[in-house]
Amino acid sequence: MDFEAFFAEKLDELHSDGRYRVFADLERRAGHFPKAYRHVGDDVQEVTVWCSNDYLGMGQSPLVMEAMKQAIDTCGTGAGGTRNISGTNHTHVLLEKELADLHGKEAALLFTSGYVSNWASLGTLAAKLPNCVVFSDEKNHASMIEGIRHSRAEKHIFKHNDWKDLDERLSKVEPGRPIIVAFESVYSMDGDIAPIEEICTVAKKHGALTYLDEVHAVGMYGPRGGGVAEQRGLMDQVDIIEGTLGKAFGVMGGYITGSAQVCDFIRSFASGFIFTTALPPALAAGALASIRHLKQSNAEREGQRRNVAKVRAGLERMGIPYMPNESHIIPVMVGDAKKCKWISDILLERYGIYVQPINYPTVPVKTERLRITPGPLHTDEDIDHLIRGLNDLWSQCALARQVA
């Protein structure tokens, strides 16, 4: 087989479909977020980032940065290996206690990313529970899908956020079988929020274990940033809550929280935990500082919500279509892969606005979009510039406008 020709052919197909991904070479500027430097060869351009998952700008927080610097001075850089071989750094212990408290659970377990925490936890649970069957929301993240697939357990997909469909499907499972119901709170591409209470009620009716991915909600919702489940007073209804340290908390890593037994079970059996190098102590220290701060500060969340409202109002004034939802995510709907990429490219080149196009397979064909995530550090001038740029390019692309 001519391997190089095969690779080239498949890459050419992505180019022709307008789905080839190009990574912008950006240099984040500490203390100046959401501004960044874009490098193109020897040229440098200042851009404003509009699609970061550092939702609250905590990755630029002096508090977090100082905690990480102190940890390096105290502990050095790396973790030295797996927690099993090299031992658990004390900062890991403190962080897991803080996360358990955040979600009102007995225990927590750290992973190297949110992807790994989903993959390892769901994969381990579904594989080890005898004759387990998993019910997964049809829009669950790839990490959840891969974990369930890796387990080789029987799986069923229920309609997105449809607790009635879930109830009907669960009613067909023979009594006594272990069941896992896996879903998310905030879905990152559409920005919609799950009916957590209804799903948990249905799951408990059928004796199922509930697994909730809150990666796009932790830090963002609830009086202490515990997520949508905290905001709605439902944390005690969910068996396992999974989250990330790499989005609103501004650092890196993933975790699960739940009973002491379930966390110990996954710690003891999950290869994705046992055989991988632990988070460096500095990352754990930064996350610890971020979580502690956001537990008692609402200023970042309030500023972020104000800017989300301003961006939505600006889009409505210009008739630029976006997908309405209850969350902080604003999907601006283009509906054409090539136009979506063209708009993104021109925004970057001419306007200094960085917002990445979202195309298939991340979203279905004909639903291509720009996923905008306003943060508390965007200024009114930034918002006006974004709306003007989108308005200009909407006209140039002859895209449909929505009527108020």
Side-chain angles (χ1 to χ4, degrees), residues 119-401:
W119 177 85
S121 299
L122 282 170
T124 300
L125 288 167
K128 294 294 184 182
L129 288 168
N131 199 26
C132 180
V133 56
V134 183
F135 288 81
S136 176
D137 187 285
E138 68 178 339
K139 291 193 176 182
N140 274 347
H141 190 263
S143 57
M144 303 173 79
I145 295 168
E146 288 298 325
I148 295 165
R149 181 180 296 153
H150 178 74
S151 76
R152 299 185 180 178
E154 180 183 333
K155 67 172 185 254
H156 298 274
I157 310 301
F158 64 91
K159 294 177 183 177
H160 179 53
N161 282 344
D162 190 336
W163 58 269
K164 293 181 180 178
D165 181 58
L166 174 64
D167 189 20
E168 183 180 344
R169 292 173 184 272
L170 287 172
S171 67
K172 297 175 183 177
V173 178
E174 54 267 38
R177 284 190 72 180
I179 303 169
I180 299 172
V181 173
F183 62 110
E184 301 181 37
S185 57
V186 178
Y187 287 83
S188 63
M189 290 301 117
D190 291 353
D192 55 337
I193 297 178
I196 298 173
E197 183 173 14
E198 290 84 352
I199 289 175
C200 287
T201 298
V202 166
K204 296 306 177 188
K205 170 185 170 184
H206 296 279
L209 184 81
T210 47
Y211 183 103
L212 176 63
D213 176 319
E214 288 252 46
V215 296
H216 291 277
V218 291
M220 303 293 294
Y221 300 89
R224 300 196 308 160
V228 178
E230 184 194 30
Q231 182 188 52
R232 298 182 178 179
L234 300 170
M235 289 194 297
D236 63 332
Q237 301 298 306
V238 183
D239 294 306
I240 299 172
I241 296 176
E242 183 265 352
T244 184
L245 307 172
K247 293 183 171 61
F249 293 132
V251 193
M252 179 183 175
Y255 64 89
I256 60 163
T257 63
S259 70
Q261 292 280 44
V262 76
C263 289
D264 195 19
F265 180 86
I266 293 170
R267 181 192 70 87
S268 300
F269 289 102
S271 62
F273 174 83
I274 296 169
F275 297 108
T276 193
T277 300
L279 283 178
L283 288 175
L288 186 61
S290 183
I291 293 163
R292 285 175 172 170
H293 174 75
L294 290 173
K295 276 182 174 179
Q296 52 81 35
S297 173
N298 273 315
E300 293 81 5
R301 289 186 281 271
E302 290 169 355
Q304 195 264 355
R305 287 167 192 157
R306 282 194 299 270
N307 281 345
V308 168
K310 289 176 183 177
V311 171
R312 284 182 173 145
L315 294 172
E316 288 168 6
R317 284 196 307 272
M318 300 301 178
I320 296 172
Y322 68 90
M323 188 178 291
N325 58 54
E326 301 175 70
S327 78
H328 57 284
I329 295 166
I330 305 177
V332 172
M333 307 306 293
V334 179
D336 180 282
K338 291 183 179 179
K339 288 183 178 180
C340 193
K341 186 176 185 310
W342 183 84
I343 291 173
S344 172
D345 289 345
I346 299 303
L347 283 173
L348 187 58
E349 295 288 343
R350 297 182 190 170
Y351 294 84
I353 291 170
Y354 175 62
V355 54
Q356 190 73 343
I358 307 295
N359 296 329
Y360 178 85
T362 308
V363 296
V365 174
K366 302 300 182 185
T367 70
E368 293 84 2
R369 67 200 64 179
L370 302 171
R371 178 182 177 273
I372 295 173
T373 54
L377 300 178
H378 285 104
T379 65
D380 287 346
E381 291 75 17
D382 292 334
I383 294 171
D384 290 342
H385 186 55
L386 171 69
I387 299 303
R388 285 196 304 270
L390 285 170
N391 183 54
D392 292 346
L393 298 183
W394 225 256
S395 296
Q396 292 181 42
C397 280
L399 290 168
R401 307 218 179 214

